[in-house]
C-alpha cells in the first residue's frame, strides 16, 4: 500500500481529473458540497485533456443547451484567474467559420440566427474581411465567414488546473495516483468506491473517466457506450508574420481548423471517415498519449486542410499529433444519472468539445446531483437514451467511423446515420422492403420513412436544404391519411406491461392525468417531476384493475422505464413493470376510411358505439388476436393495432390483402411528422423537454388536478396556475409562404423582436405551408388575441418570412375528424 491517504468518506466521489471531473468538483464546491473527493488514476489532465487544441468557440450548435454551456464556459475561463490566481490561458482572439458553397452558407446563416437568439454575438463577414483577420488564408473561393469576436482559445491544462485550485480552495480533496476499481453499491444504490488505495464511503459518484468511462461503468453494469478514436492536429514550422492574436479559423468543408501555435500554424482535423482506437480495452496505464499517426489514411485529408492556408505547404510540418478522444453513437455526450444504479452519475463521451463545454457541464452536473434538476434541456444528452447493444464492440467500431466525421459535415435536415444499420428490425420489415420503403435510423430501428412508387429509387439521394426529391411522394402519403386510409408501421414504439394489485395506484401517482378510470380506455398523460416539468409524455391504457399497458416514443424508452421502476420501488408498491417492446408490433390504420377497412378485417364490433374514441378492444384479425386501440397521433379517425410479434406478418398480410379494396396506402415517418405537426401533437425530446412546465407546453388539458390522491408535480402545477396567465407558451407556427421550409431552430419574431424559436417543424401538406411548434415568450399573457394583434415573421437563413401563430391546432381544432 502506498503513502496516498484517502479520506474514509465523502458525500460525493468524482472519478477522473480531466477537464470534466475537475469542473464538476469545482462546481460542487461552489454549491456548498465541499465534502467532495476527486480521484485521478494518474495526474490531472493525463487522459485526453492535456493535448486538446483549446478552441473555445460558442458558435455552431443548434442546441440551446450546448450553446448556453459554451457561453458559460467561455465566461468562466475568462473570470477564473481572478478567483484562483491561476490563468486559464483564455485569449479572446475571435473565431471565424467559413462557407465556401451555398449549402454551407445556408447552414451557417441558419445557425448564426439561432446562436444570436441564444446570446452569441456572431455576424456574417465578407471574404475580404476574413482575409484582413487571417491574412494567410486563401479566400478566393469563399462566400462568407461567420465571426464571433469574443471567442478564441484557451489552454486546456491551465483551465483544468485553475478549476482544481478553485475546488481545493473551497475544501475539495483531490487525490492523484488513485484508481477506482469499482463502485460499491448496496441495494442498488451507491455506497462507496473501491480504489487501489482502499475504499471511500460516499453517497454519490460521478464517473468522468473519459475514454475509460465505459470500462469502469461495465464493472457495475452501467451502460456508457463511448469509444475512443484517433484525433489529429498538426503544427507547422514557423510561419513568417503569423499573429498570435489572429482568430481561430474553421473550414469544415476542408476538414480543418487553423490557429497560431508558438509562431507556427496549428491545423486540426475532423476527417469524414475516422478510425476507432482500441475497441477492445483502453489500457489502464495509458497517460499523456502521443500516438503514431496514420499518414496513409490521413494524407489526403491533411492535404485538403492545408490547401486553405497554402503557406503551410511551404513551411513544412513540425509535428503531426494523434491523441485519442471519445465519441458516442449520436455525437452527444453521455450525461446524467445512470438508470442501473441510484446515485451513479456520468459525464463522459465529450466528442471533441469537452474543453469548450467543460465549464458548463460542471455547472449542470453539480446542480443535477445536488438538486435533482439539471436546469437545462437534457433530453438529447441523457445517459438513458442509450441502449446496451450500443456498447457491443462491433457496433462501436462500426458507428465511430462515422461519428467523428459528422462534426464537420453539412448538417442537412433529414440526414440519418448510415453506419451500424439494421441492428433492429420490425417483424414486418421485409414486407416493407417489398413495398419499396426508404428506411431511416429510428433509435437503432429501421423505420420506414417514405415509400417509393415505381420508377423512384427508395433512397434519400442527395441531401438538400430545399425540397427533397421525394417531396411529392411524401405529400401523397400525407393526403392518403387525410382522405383515405394508410398503414404505418410503428413497431419501434416503447411498450410496458404494468401489472399487480398496486399498478393503478402507482400509475395514478405519477401521471398528471387520470389513468385508472374505466377499463379498456387509453389516456394521454405526462409524467412530471416535483417541479411540474415534464419527464415523459405517453399513453396509459387500462386493461383491467391490475393490468395496464404503457406506450411511449422510442427515444423515451429507458427514461420512462427507469422513472416507473423507481416510482414502484419508492412506494413499495405491489406492482411490476415488464418491458414488452419486442413482444408487440404496432401497425397503425389511420384515416377517414380506416373504420371501413377494420370492419372488413374483423368480426368484432368496431362501430362508434362499441369502440368509441379512446376505446380498447381485443379483436380477431385472421388467426390472430389483436389489441386494437382507437387513438391517433396523426389527427384522423384511426386505430393502433398491437399485434403479438409472431402474428405480425400474418396480420399485416391480411390487412394489405383486404386493404386493396379500400385504397390502403403505406405511409412512412415523413408523413407521421407532417401529420402530427399539423395537429400540434407534441413529441418529447423534440418540441417539449424536461425544462417545460406542463402548462407552458400547452398540455394543461391532460392534467387532472381533482384526482383524489393528487400526483407527483401537482403542487407545482397549482402554484403555476395561481401565478396568473402564461407569458411563455408553446404555440403552432405556420409559414404563409408555401415554398419555404422549416426544420428546427428558426427564430420567430413578433412585431420585429425575437420571441422564441422553432423547436421542431415539418411541412403541412394540408395546411399548405411549413409548420412547427415554438416556445414563445411575450412577457405578457400569451392569448390568441395577443398573438393575432402582432405581426409575426420567421427568420429562415437570411430571410424574414411572414407567419401565423396559433394556440389551438390549425388543422381540425375541434377534433371533429377524430371523434366523428
Ligand atoms: C487532438 C485533440 C484536440 C482537441 N481539441 C479540442 C478543442 O480544441 N476544444 C475542445 O473543447 N475539446 C477538444 N478536444 C477534446 C477534449 O480534449 C476532450 O473532450 C476532453 O479533454 C475530455 O475531458 P474528460 O475529462 O472527459 O476526459 P479526460 O481528460 O480523458 O479525463 C478523464 C480522466 O479520468 C481518469 N480516469 C479514468 N479512469 C479512472 C479510474 N478508474 N479512476 C480514476 N481516474 C480515472 C483518467 O486518467 C483521465 O485523467 C480535443 C481532443 C483531442 C484528442
Amino acid at each position: 500500500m502506498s503513502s496516498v491517504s484517502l479520506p474514509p468518506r465523502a458525500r460525493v466521489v468524482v472519478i477522473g481529473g480531466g477537464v470534466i471531473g475537475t469542473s464538476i468538483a469545482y462546481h460542487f464546491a461552489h454549491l456548498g458540497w465541499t465534502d467532495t473527493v476527486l480521484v485521478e488514476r494518474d495526474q490531472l489532465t493525463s487522459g485526453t485533456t492535456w493535448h486538446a487544441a483549446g478552441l473555445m468557440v460558442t458558435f455552431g450548435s443548434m442546441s440551446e443547451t450546448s450553446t448556453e454551456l459554451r457561453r458559460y464556459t467561455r465566461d468562466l475561463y475568462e473570470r477564473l484567474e481572478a478567483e484562483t490566481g491561476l490563468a486559464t490561458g483564455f485569449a479572446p482572439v475571435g473565431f471565424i467559420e467559413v462557407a465556401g458553397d451555398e449549402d454551407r452558407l445556408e447552414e451557417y446563416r441558419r445557425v448564426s440566427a439561432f446562436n444570436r437568439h441564444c446570446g452569441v454575438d456572431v455576424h456574417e463577414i465578407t471574404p475580404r474581411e476574413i482575409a484582413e483577420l487571417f491574412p494567410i488564408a486563401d479566400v478566393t473561393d469563399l462566400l462568407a465567414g461567420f465571426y464571433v469576436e469574443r471567442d478564441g482559445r484557451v489552454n486546456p491544462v491551465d483551465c483544468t488546473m485553475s478549476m482544481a485550485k478553485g475546488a481545493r480552495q473551497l475544501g475539495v480533496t483531490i487525490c492523484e495516483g488513485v484508481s477506482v476499481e469499482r463502485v460499491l453499491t448496496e441495494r442498488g444504490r451507491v455506497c462507496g468506491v473501491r480504489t487501489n488505495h482502499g475504499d471511500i464511503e460516499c453517497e454519490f459518484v460521478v464517473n468522468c473517466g473519459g475514454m475509460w468511462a465505459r470500462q469502469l461503468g461495465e464493472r457495475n453494469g452501467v451502460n456508457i457506450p463511448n469509444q475512443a478514436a484517433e484525433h489529429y492536429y498538426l503544427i507547422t514550422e514557423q510561419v513568417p508574420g503569423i499573429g498570435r492574436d489572429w482568430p481561430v479559423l474553421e473550414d469544415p468543408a476542408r476538414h480543418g481548423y487553423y490557429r497560431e501555435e508558438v509562431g507556427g500554424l496549428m491545423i486540426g482535423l475532423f476527417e469524414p471517415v475516422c478510425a476507432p482506437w482500441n475497441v477492445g480495452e483502453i489500457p489502464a496505464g495509458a497517460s499523456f498519449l502521443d500516438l503514431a499517426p496514420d499518414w496513409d489514411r490521413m494524407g489526403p485529408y491533411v492535404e485538403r486542410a492545408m490547401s486553405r492556408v497554402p503557406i503551410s505547404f511551404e513551411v513544412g510540418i513540425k509535428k503531426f499529433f494523434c491523441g485519442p478522444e471519445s465519441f458516442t453513437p449520436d455525437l452527444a455526450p453521455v450525461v446524467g444519472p445512470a438508470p442501473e444504479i441510484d446515485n451513479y452519475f456520468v459525464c463522459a463521451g465529450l466528442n471533441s468539445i469537452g474543453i469548450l463545454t467543460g465549464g458548463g457541464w460542471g455547472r449542470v452536473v453539480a446542480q443535477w446531483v445536488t438538486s435533482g434538476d439539471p436546469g437545462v434541456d437534457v433530453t438529447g444528452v441523457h445517459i438513458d437514451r442509450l441502449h446496451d447493444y450500443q456498447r457491443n464492440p462491433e457496433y462501436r467500431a462500426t458507428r465511430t467511423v462515422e461519428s467523428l466525421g459528422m462534426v464537420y459535415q453539412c448538417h442537412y435536415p433529414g440526414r440519418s446515420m448510415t453506419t451500424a444499420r439494421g441492428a433492429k428490425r420490425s417483424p414486418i420489415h421485409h414486407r416493407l422492403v417489398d413495398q419499396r420503403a426508404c428506411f431511416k435510423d429510428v433509435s437503432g430501428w429501421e423505420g420506414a420513412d417514405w415509400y417509393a412508387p415505381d420508377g423512384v429509387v427508395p433512397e434519400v439521394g442527395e441531401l438538400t436544404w430545399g425540397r427533397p426529391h421525394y417531396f411529392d411522394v411524401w405529400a401523397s402519403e400525407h393526403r392518403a391519411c387525410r382522405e383515405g386510409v394508410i398503414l404505418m408501421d410503428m413497431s419501434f414504439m416503447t411498450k410496458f406491461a404494468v401489472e399487480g394489485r398496486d399498478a393503478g395506484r402507482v400509475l395514478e401517482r405519477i401521471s398528471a392525468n387520470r389513468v385508472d378510470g374505466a377499463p379498456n380506455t387509453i389516456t394521454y398523460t405526462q409524467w412530471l417531476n416535483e417541479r411540474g416539468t415534464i419527464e415523459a409524455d405517453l399513453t396509459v391504457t387500462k386493461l383491467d384493475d391490475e393490468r395496464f399497458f404503457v406506450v411511449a416514443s422510442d427515444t423515451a424508452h429507458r427514461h420512462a422505464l427507469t422513472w416507473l421502476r423507481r416510482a414502484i420501488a419508492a412506494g413499495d408498491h405491489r406492482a411490476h413493470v415488464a418491458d414488452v417492446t419486442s413482444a408487440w408490433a404496432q401497425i397503425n390504420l389511420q384515416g377517414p376510411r380506416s373504420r371501413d377497412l377494420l370492419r372488413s378485417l374483423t368480426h368484432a364490433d368496431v362501430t362508434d358505439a362499441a369502440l368509441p374514441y379512446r376505446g380498447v378492444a381485443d379483436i380477431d384479425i385472421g388467426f390472430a388476436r389483436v389489441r386494437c386501440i382507437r387513438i391517433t397521433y396523426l389527427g384522423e379517425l384511426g386505430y393502433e393495432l398491437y399485434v403479438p410479434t409472431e402474428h405480425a406478418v400474418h396480420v399485416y398480410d391480411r390487412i394489405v390483402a383486404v386493404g386493396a379494396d379500400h385504397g390502403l396506402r403505406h405511409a412512412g415517418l415523413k408523413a407521421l411528422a407532417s401529420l402530427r405537426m399539423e395537429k400540434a401533437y407534441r413529441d418529447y425530446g423534440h418540441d417539449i423537454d424536461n425544462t417545460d412546465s406542463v402548462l407552458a407546453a400547452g398540455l394543461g388539458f391532460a392534467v387532472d388536478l381533482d384526482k383524489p390522491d393528487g400526483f407527483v408535480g401537482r403542487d407545482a402545477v397549482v402554484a403555476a396556475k395561481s401565478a396568473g396567465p402564461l407569458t411563455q407558451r408553446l404555440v403552432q407556427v405556420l409559414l404563409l409562404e408555401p415554398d419555404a421550409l422549416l426544420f428546427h431552430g428558426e427564430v420567430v419574431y413578433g412585431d420585429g423582436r425575437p420571441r422564441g424559436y422553432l423547436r421542431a417543424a415539418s411541412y403541412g401538406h394540408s395546411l399548405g405551408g411549413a409548420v412547427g411548434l415554438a416556445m414563445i415568450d411575450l412577457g405578457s399573457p400569451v392569448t390568441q388575441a395577443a398573438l393575432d394583434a402582432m405581426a409575426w415573421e420567421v427568420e429562415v437563413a437570411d430571410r424574414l418570412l411572414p407567419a401565423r401563430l396559433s394556440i389551438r391546432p390549425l388543422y381540425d381544432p375541434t377534433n371533429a375528424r377524430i371523434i366523428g
Side-chain angles (χ1 to χ4, degrees):
M1 193 61 81
S2 89
S3 59
V4 176
S5 99
L6 291 181
R9 68 184 58 83
R11 191 155 192 194
V12 53
V13 172
V14 178
I15 306 165
V19 67
I20 296 297
T22 311
S23 173
I24 291 172
Y26 167 86
H27 285 88
F28 272 133
H30 271 276
L31 288 174
W33 279 34
T34 50
D35 188 8
T36 294
V37 174
L38 186 156
V39 289
E40 162 54 45
R41 176 192 61 105
D42 191 342
Q43 292 173 36
L44 295 179
T45 78
S46 61
T48 298
T49 296
W50 75 280
H51 56 223
L55 269 54
M56 181 53 254
V57 174
T58 57
F59 174 81
S61 172
M62 288 299 281
S63 145
E64 187 178 344
T65 298
S66 184
T67 309
E68 212 245 285
L69 299 195
R70 290 161 183 238
R71 290 181 55 222
Y72 174 84
T73 303
R74 183 184 63 187
D75 295 349
L76 177 70
Y77 294 164
E78 216 165 22
R79 65 178 156 80
L80 213 50
E81 184 177 358
E83 177 190 333
T84 67
L86 277 187
T88 62
F90 178 64
V93 292
F95 169 78
I96 309 169
E97 183 103 318
V98 302
D101 61 69
E102 292 296 339
D103 283 4
R104 298 268 177 183
L105 188 63
E106 168 102 13
E107 176 178 3
Y108 303 147
R109 282 182 173 159
R110 285 173 175 270
V111 174
S112 53
F114 176 72
N115 283 183
R116 264 193 301 277
H117 179 65
C118 297
V120 176
D121 185 18
V122 52
H123 59 273
E124 191 171 328
I125 59 175
T126 63
R128 197 172 52 80
E129 288 169 304
I130 299 171
E132 280 163 14
L133 289 161
F134 206 97
I136 56 176
D138 171 14
V139 299
T140 47
D141 62 328
L142 293 181
L143 300 175
F146 294 82
Y147 180 47
V148 185
E149 200 176 348
R150 279 190 59 209
D151 282 355
R153 56 201 245 197
V154 67
N155 184 320
V157 172
D158 291 353
C159 68
T160 306
M161 292 306 181
S162 190
M163 288 191 286
K165 186 165 178 210
R168 280 195 184 103
Q169 279 173 344
L170 291 170
V172 170
T173 305
I174 296 180
C175 304
E176 291 178 288
V178 176
S179 188
V180 171
E181 287 162 0
R182 62 179 290 115
V183 171
L184 304 173
T185 62
E186 209 174 77
R187 296 168 62 88
R189 176 178 291 263
V190 168
C191 66
V193 293
R194 174 142 305 150
T195 80
N196 55 342
H197 291 279
D199 293 353
I200 307 175
E201 273 176 41
C202 63
E203 287 170 50
F204 294 90
V205 294
V206 190
N207 177 347
C208 310
M211 62 185 166
W212 293 268
R214 186 188 73 247
Q215 291 161 206
L216 182 61
E218 258 170 19
R219 287 178 213 150
N220 289 91
V222 172
N223 181 47
I224 309 169
N226 63 346
Q227 171 59 47
E230 295 177 5
H231 194 25
Y232 289 87
Y233 55 72
L234 62 83
I235 298 168
T236 70
E237 300 289 353
Q238 297 286 297
V239 173
I242 195 167
R244 198 163 158 65
D245 56 350
W246 287 7
V248 176
L249 189 81
E250 191 167 53
D251 182 0
R254 295 209 186 174
H255 325 304
Y257 61 82
Y258 315 82
R259 69 164 179 81
E260 185 274 349
E261 176 72 15
V262 288
L265 185 67
M266 173 188 274
I267 304 182
L269 292 134
F270 283 90
E271 67 276 19
V273 181
C274 93
W277 183 74
N278 273 344
V279 172
E281 180 96 2
I282 305 294
S287 293
F288 300 109
L289 287 169
D290 183 350
L291 307 174
D294 184 344
W295 276 103
D296 289 345
R297 185 175 74 78
M298 291 302 292
Y301 308 124
V302 170
E303 206 167 306
R304 185 154 165 76
M306 289 172 77
S307 67
R308 176 58 66 210
V309 186
I311 196 171
S312 59
F313 291 114
E314 291 166 34
V315 295
I317 295 170
K318 185 164 77 180
K319 168 83 185 158
F320 191 27
F321 179 83
C322 176
E325 159 67 334
S326 46
F327 290 84
T328 61
D330 56 3
L331 212 66
V334 185
V335 189
E340 297 89 350
I341 297 176
D342 290 352
N343 292 0
Y344 188 124
F345 280 70
V346 177
C347 190
L350 272 298
N351 299 289
S352 80
I353 55 168
I355 308 300
L356 63 87
T357 54
W361 281 124
R363 191 199 77 196
V364 167
V365 173
Q367 181 184 323
W368 202 344
V369 174
T370 54
S371 73
D373 176 12
V376 294
D377 169 15
V378 289
T379 52
V381 298
H382 203 300
I383 184 170
D384 63 19
R385 76 189 187 283
L386 298 158
H387 292 260
D388 271 349
Y389 78 94
Q390 293 178 298
R391 68 170 194 265
N392 282 7
E394 189 173 336
Y395 178 88
R396 283 185 281 111
T398 311
R399 177 52 66 88
T400 307
V401 167
E402 183 178 15
S403 49
L404 179 143
M406 272 170 61
V407 175
Y408 271 6
Q409 276 175 7
C410 188
H411 299 95
Y412 292 105
R415 186 189 182 281
S416 191
M417 301 300 283
T418 57
T419 54
R421 292 289 299 271
K424 298 189 206 171
R425 289 178 184 161
S426 149
I428 57 170
H429 176 82
H430 55 299
R431 292 290 198 261
L432 306 185
V433 172
D434 293 345
Q435 293 288 332
R436 305 171 57 74
C438 179
F439 293 94
K440 72 169 183 179
D441 184 331
V442 181
S443 299
W445 294 76
E446 292 298 310
D449 206 22
W450 51 276
Y451 292 83
D454 285 343
V456 176
V457 185
E459 283 174 6
V460 181
E462 212 164 289
L463 294 166
T464 169
W465 291 100
R467 291 187 171 192
H469 71 88
Y470 51 84
F471 187 86
D472 292 342
V473 176
W474 164 23
S476 70
E477 290 176 15
H478 179 112
R479 274 194 292 275
C481 181
R482 293 277 182 252
E483 293 160 13
V485 53
I486 57 104
L487 178 155
M488 186 179 283
D489 177 34
M490 292 179 66
S491 299
F492 53 78
M493 293 292 282
T494 297
K495 303 147 210 126
F496 306 135
V498 191
E499 300 187 354
R501 203 177 65 191
D502 295 335
R505 206 146 62 88
V506 70
L507 285 167
E508 202 67 286
R509 176 82 199 128
I510 59 176
S511 299
N513 213 342
R514 188 186 296 256
V515 297
D516 190 12
N520 285 321
T521 306
I522 185 170
T523 303
Y524 174 52
T525 189
Q526 284 70 46
W527 292 350
L528 309 181
N529 51 44
E530 294 290 358
R531 301 177 301 283
T533 66
I534 304 169
E535 294 288 343
D537 177 78
L538 38 73
T539 58
V540 176
T541 296
K542 177 171 177 175
L543 301 170
D544 61 38
D545 284 344
E546 297 196 6
R547 285 192 316 131
F548 293 78
F549 186 56
V550 173
V551 177
S553 69
D554 53 297
T555 50
H557 197 144
R558 296 189 76 212
H559 190 70
L561 186 57
T562 309
W563 195 259
L564 182 53
R565 280 189 174 147
R566 286 184 173 157
I568 291 171
D572 227 357
H573 293 288
R574 293 269 194 98
H576 67 268
V577 52
D579 181 356
V580 293
T581 302
S582 317
W584 300 90
Q586 200 225 76
I587 300 176
N588 267 272
L589 298 181
Q590 299 278 330
R593 296 184 64 188
S594 57
R595 189 189 284 132
D596 296 343
L597 170 57
L598 201 58
R599 232 187 241 129
S600 314
L601 280 165
T602 180
H603 296 95
D605 183 356
V606 294
T607 57
D608 199 39
L611 187 58
Y613 178 58
R614 292 181 56 206
V616 181
D618 277 351
I619 64 170
D620 61 291
I621 295 183
F623 304 132
R625 299 291 301 169
V626 170
R627 181 173 295 164
C628 174
I629 303 184
R630 186 172 154 197
I631 194 76
T632 183
Y633 188 55
L634 309 180
E636 301 294 337
L637 169 71
Y639 305 86
E640 291 181 352
L641 303 181
Y642 291 88
V643 188
T645 304
E646 61 277 23
H647 286 301
V649 172
H650 167 67
V651 169
Y652 168 86
D653 286 347
R654 187 60 68 94
I655 294 170
V656 170
V658 174
D661 288 342
H662 296 264
L664 178 72
R665 287 275 309 267
H666 284 67
L669 301 178
K670 271 267 166 268
L672 170 87
S674 55
L675 290 158
R676 75 105 181 164
M677 200 49 100
E678 286 188 328
K679 272 295 280 177
Y681 287 147
R682 277 54 169 167
D683 188 0
Y684 190 73
H686 295 272
D687 32 62
I688 53 175
D689 62 58
N690 58 286
T691 63
D692 295 322
S693 84
V694 70
L695 300 179
L699 296 169
F701 70 89
V703 176
D704 186 345
L705 290 174
D706 301 326
K707 289 203 293 186
D709 297 322
F711 56 88
V712 176
R714 184 182 181 280
D715 292 350
V717 178
V718 170
K721 271 204 149 170
S722 56
L726 292 167
T727 57
Q728 210 191 21
R729 195 189 193 282
L730 198 69
V731 302
Q732 206 180 23
V733 178
L734 175 69
L735 276 193
L736 301 181
E737 194 212 279
D739 288 337
L741 300 177
L742 295 173
F743 304 112
H744 157 78
E746 295 87 353
V747 180
V748 180
Y749 288 79
D751 285 346
R753 280 181 40 201
R755 311 284 181 169
Y757 68 89
L758 266 304
R759 290 214 175 151
S762 183
Y763 192 84
H765 297 283
S766 306
L767 294 173
V771 61
L773 285 164
M775 184 64 79
I776 295 297
D777 190 345
L778 285 189
S780 56
V782 183
T783 60
Q784 191 59 49
L787 295 176
D788 291 344
M790 297 170 74
W792 291 98
E793 290 168 308
V794 180
E795 188 172 3
V796 180
D798 59 342
R799 292 159 294 154
L800 278 176
L801 302 175
R804 180 175 158 204
L805 270 59
S806 180
I807 288 178
R808 300 182 77 191
L810 290 165
Y811 182 79
D812 189 25
T814 61
N815 289 341
R817 297 180 65 86
I818 299 168
I819 296 163

